[in-house]
Amino acid sequence: DEKDEKEEEDEEDEEDEDKKKKEKASKWQVTRKTEVQNLDGDYLKISMKLDLGGNIWIIALHDHGVLELVKIKVTGSETFEWLGTKLATGPNKQCVAQKTFAA
């Protein structure tokens, strides 16, 4: 029956998605205590974080009206590989709240 085949395919797709998520899950976590050092040597606490999987994170902080987004790959408890930075001047309110912070 076509309906049963479709349901079976949907279940297989869901299992594949679950498997991908488990493979992609980040081993290392970024916490609210994470700090970023600025050019002046000051340490600033991040205000938002987004796990992209595979230990790759976007961390963000709002400093002097600028939203600073930093993409990193966490390689250890205190080590990371910098992948890129973007700056947004005068960001929307949705962009500076953890609840609505998204890639």
Side-chain angles (χ1 to χ4, degrees):
D1 177 83
E2 279 186 39
K3 187 177 179 185
D4 289 338
E5 284 180 29
K6 176 70 174 144
E7 287 176 9
E8 199 171 294
E9 286 177 16
D10 289 345
E11 286 177 17
E12 287 175 5
D13 288 345
E14 286 177 22
E15 287 172 9
D16 288 345
E17 284 299 314
D18 289 343
K19 188 176 180 181
K20 285 179 187 174
K21 284 180 185 175
K22 286 179 185 173
E23 289 173 0
K24 193 177 178 186
S26 290
K27 176 183 173 184
W28 297 103
Q29 299 294 309
V30 172
T31 69
R32 286 265 182 207
K33 295 179 183 179
T34 301
E35 295 179 324
V36 177
Q37 188 175 12
N38 67 12
L39 295 174
D40 297 327
D42 299 321
Y43 286 90
L44 307 170
K45 281 195 174 196
I46 65 165
S47 53
M48 294 170 291
K49 60 185 179 170
L50 179 63
D51 184 1
L52 301 179
N55 296 319
I56 297 174
W57 291 78
I58 294 177
I59 56 174
L61 57 102
H62 194 227
D63 186 35
H64 295 94
V66 176
L67 179 62
E68 299 180 31
L69 304 162
V70 181
K71 187 175 183 181
I72 60 172
K73 180 171 186 172
V74 181
T75 56
S77 61
E78 294 185 19
T79 56
F80 66 92
E81 178 184 340
W82 174 79
L83 301 175
T85 301
K86 288 191 176 186
L87 304 175
T89 306
N92 295 333
K93 284 184 180 181
Q94 297 95 324
C95 296
V96 295
Q98 180 66 51
K99 186 175 180 180
T100 51
F101 184 63

